[in-house]
Amino acid sequence: METENTLRRLKTVEGHLRGVIRMVEEDAYCIDVIRQIQAIEAALNKVSSQILENHLNSCVITAIQGSDRKERERVLKEITEVFEMSTKV
Amino acid sequence: METENTLRRLKTVEGHLRGVIRMVEEDAYCIDVIRQIQAIEAALNKVSSQILENHLNSCVITAIQGSDRKERERVLKEITEVFEMSTKV
Amino acid sequence: METENTLRRLKTVEGHLRGVIRMVEEDAYCIDVIRQIQAIEAALNKVSSQILENHLNSCVITAIQGSDRKERERVLKEITEVFEMSTKV
Amino acid sequence: METENTLRRLKTVEGHLRGVIRMVEEDAYCIDVIRQIQAIEAALNKVSSQILENHLNSCVITAIQGSDRKERERVLKEITEVFEMSTKV
C-alpha cells in the first residue's frame, strides 16, 4: 500500500522531469526551468520523508525491539546519516 | 552548446530516477532508496547552478546593460527569488 | 558529556555569528557576509545531526522498547517532522 | 538603511541562538532544540536573500555596466557560487 503510494509519487516526478527536459529542448526561459527543477526537488523531499516514516514504523521498531545490538546501532546510525545528508541537498 | 550539456545531465537524472522507481518496485531497502533520491537532488542542484550561470552570462548582462529599467528590476528580482527558494528545497 | 559537546559547538557558532555582525557593521563585502552565514548554517546542521544522534540513542530507544504505544508513535512522528523540515531550511 | 535592517535581523538571530544555548544548558527536549535550530537557519536564509538582493541592485549593476570585463565575470561567478552553496546548507 505504502509502496504503491511511493511509486505513484515517483512516477509523477518522472513525468514532471520529462516536462522539464522538453522545456529545455524548446529553449524555455532559464528561470522557469530552474523553478520547475526546484518543484521537482520539493516533491522528492516529500517522497523521502514518506519513505522514512514507513521505515521508522517498520524496520526501526523491529530492530530496536530486537535483541541484536549491532543491528540496532546500524539502523539508528543510518537515520542520522540520511538526516545529515538531507541538510546538504 | 550549454543547452546540450543541460539536456545530457537532465537525461542522466531521468535514468537515475527510473532506477529508483525500479528499486521501489523490487522492494529495495528504504534507506538505500532515500540515499538515491538524495543523490538525484544533488545532481538537480548542479543542473540548476549551471543554468543560472548561463542565465547570468546572457540574459542578465543584456538586461542590465539595456535601457529598460523595469526589465532590469524584473531580472534581478528573479535571481533573488530562485536563491531564496534554493534554501528551501 | 554530549551536552557539553553540543554547548561548545553552539558557543562557537555564537562567536562566529558575532563576527558576522561585526562584518556587517564594518560594511564588509556582501558576498563575504553571505558565505560566512552559509558557514554558520553548515555548523548548525552539524549540531542538529549530533543532537538527533543522541536523541535516537536515548529517548527513541526507551520509547520504542516501552509499552506506551502512543508515546512510541509520537517519538517516531517527531523524527519524520524534523527530517522533513531539514529539507526546507 | 538596508545595513540597519540586516543588523537588526542578525541581532535577533543572536538572541534566538542564546535562547537555544540556554535550552541546552537546562536540558530541554532534543527535538525542541533541533526545531529552534531549524528556525534560526530559516531566519539566516532570509538574511542571506536580503543581502543578495541589495548586492544585485548595487555592486552587480555597477560591475555589469562598467567596462572591466574581468570584474564583471568575477561578480557573476560569485553569484553562481553562493547559489550553489545555498543548495548545500
Side-chain angles (χ1 to χ4, degrees):
Chain A
M1 194 86 149
E2 275 120 9
T3 297
E4 287 306 301
N5 192 359
T6 302
L7 271 178
R8 197 167 33 75
R9 282 174 185 264
L10 285 174
K11 281 174 182 170
T12 305
V13 172
E14 194 192 359
H16 200 161
L17 180 57
R18 265 204 290 266
V20 171
I21 290 174
R22 251 190 325 272
M23 283 174 78
V24 174
E25 283 168 346
E26 293 164 2
D27 255 324
Y29 184 52
C30 303
I31 296 292
D32 292 339
V33 176
I34 293 176
R35 282 181 178 138
Q36 291 308 315
I37 290 176
Q38 292 177 331
I40 287 175
E41 293 183 284
L44 287 172
N45 283 334
K46 198 80 197 141
V47 179
S48 290
S49 297
Q50 201 180 40
I51 296 174
L52 181 68
E53 190 174 14
N54 299 342
H55 179 62
L56 289 167
N57 285 294
S58 52
C59 310
V60 176
I61 289 186
T62 308
I64 292 182
Q65 291 180 342
S67 56
D68 184 343
R69 203 186 140 198
K70 277 265 156 73
E71 171 67 2
R72 199 161 66 214
E73 282 170 4
R74 195 185 59 75
V75 158
L76 293 178
K77 199 169 169 43
E78 284 173 346
I79 293 169
T80 311
E81 283 166 4
V82 294
F83 177 79
E84 191 162 353
M85 182 52 74
S86 78
T87 64
K88 291 185 191 153
V89 290
Chain B
M1 195 89 148
E2 275 120 9
T3 298
E4 287 307 301
N5 192 359
T6 302
L7 271 178
R8 196 164 34 74
R9 281 173 185 265
L10 284 173
K11 281 172 183 173
T12 305
V13 172
E14 195 192 359
H16 200 161
L17 179 58
R18 265 204 291 263
V20 171
I21 290 173
R22 250 190 326 271
M23 283 174 76
V24 175
E25 284 168 346
E26 292 164 4
D27 255 323
Y29 184 52
C30 303
I31 296 291
D32 293 339
V33 176
I34 293 176
R35 282 182 177 139
Q36 290 308 314
I37 291 177
Q38 291 176 331
I40 287 175
E41 294 183 283
L44 287 173
N45 283 335
K46 197 80 197 143
V47 180
S48 289
S49 298
Q50 198 180 41
I51 295 175
L52 182 68
E53 190 174 15
N54 298 342
H55 180 61
L56 289 167
N57 286 294
S58 52
C59 309
V60 175
I61 290 185
T62 307
I64 292 182
Q65 291 180 340
S67 56
D68 185 343
R69 205 187 137 198
K70 278 265 156 71
E71 172 67 2
R72 199 162 66 213
E73 283 170 4
R74 194 185 59 74
V75 159
L76 293 177
K77 197 168 172 43
E78 283 173 347
I79 293 169
T80 311
E81 283 166 4
V82 294
F83 177 80
E84 192 161 353
M85 182 52 74
S86 78
T87 65
K88 291 184 191 152
V89 290
Chain C
M1 195 87 149
E2 275 120 9
T3 298
E4 288 305 302
N5 191 359
T6 302
L7 271 178
R8 197 166 32 75
R9 281 174 185 263
L10 285 174
K11 282 173 183 172
T12 305
V13 172
E14 195 192 359
H16 200 160
L17 180 57
R18 264 204 291 266
V20 171
I21 290 174
R22 247 185 333 267
M23 283 175 77
V24 175
E25 283 169 346
E26 293 164 0
D27 255 324
Y29 185 52
C30 303
I31 296 292
D32 292 339
V33 176
I34 293 175
R35 282 182 179 139
Q36 291 307 315
I37 291 176
Q38 291 176 331
I40 287 175
E41 293 183 284
L44 287 172
N45 283 335
K46 198 81 196 139
V47 180
S48 289
S49 298
Q50 199 180 41
I51 296 175
L52 182 68
E53 190 174 14
N54 299 341
H55 179 62
L56 289 167
N57 285 295
S58 52
C59 310
V60 176
I61 289 185
T62 308
I64 292 182
Q65 291 179 341
S67 57
D68 185 343
R69 203 187 139 199
K70 276 264 155 73
E71 172 67 2
R72 199 163 64 214
E73 282 170 5
R74 195 186 59 75
V75 157
L76 292 177
K77 199 170 170 42
E78 283 173 347
I79 293 169
T80 311
E81 283 166 4
V82 296
F83 177 79
E84 190 162 354
M85 182 53 73
S86 78
T87 64
K88 290 184 190 152
V89 290
Chain D
M1 195 85 149
E2 275 121 9
T3 298
E4 287 307 301
N5 192 359
T6 302
L7 272 178
R8 196 166 34 74
R9 281 174 186 264
L10 285 174
K11 282 172 183 173
T12 304
V13 172
E14 195 192 359
H16 200 160
L17 180 57
R18 266 204 290 264
V20 171
I21 290 174
R22 253 191 322 273
M23 284 174 76
V24 175
E25 283 169 346
E26 293 165 2
D27 255 323
Y29 185 52
C30 303
I31 296 291
D32 293 339
V33 176
I34 293 176
R35 281 181 178 139
Q36 291 308 314
I37 290 176
Q38 290 176 331
I40 287 175
E41 293 183 286
L44 288 173
N45 283 334
K46 197 79 196 142
V47 179
S48 289
S49 298
Q50 199 180 40
I51 296 175
L52 182 68
E53 190 174 14
N54 299 341
H55 179 62
L56 290 167
N57 286 293
S58 52
C59 309
V60 175
I61 289 185
T62 306
I64 292 181
Q65 291 180 341
S67 56
D68 185 343
R69 203 187 139 198
K70 278 263 155 74
E71 171 68 3
R72 201 161 65 213
E73 282 170 5
R74 194 185 59 75
V75 158
L76 293 177
K77 197 167 172 44
E78 283 173 348
I79 293 169
T80 311
E81 282 165 5
V82 295
F83 176 79
E84 192 161 354
M85 182 52 73
S86 78
T87 64
K88 291 184 191 153
V89 291

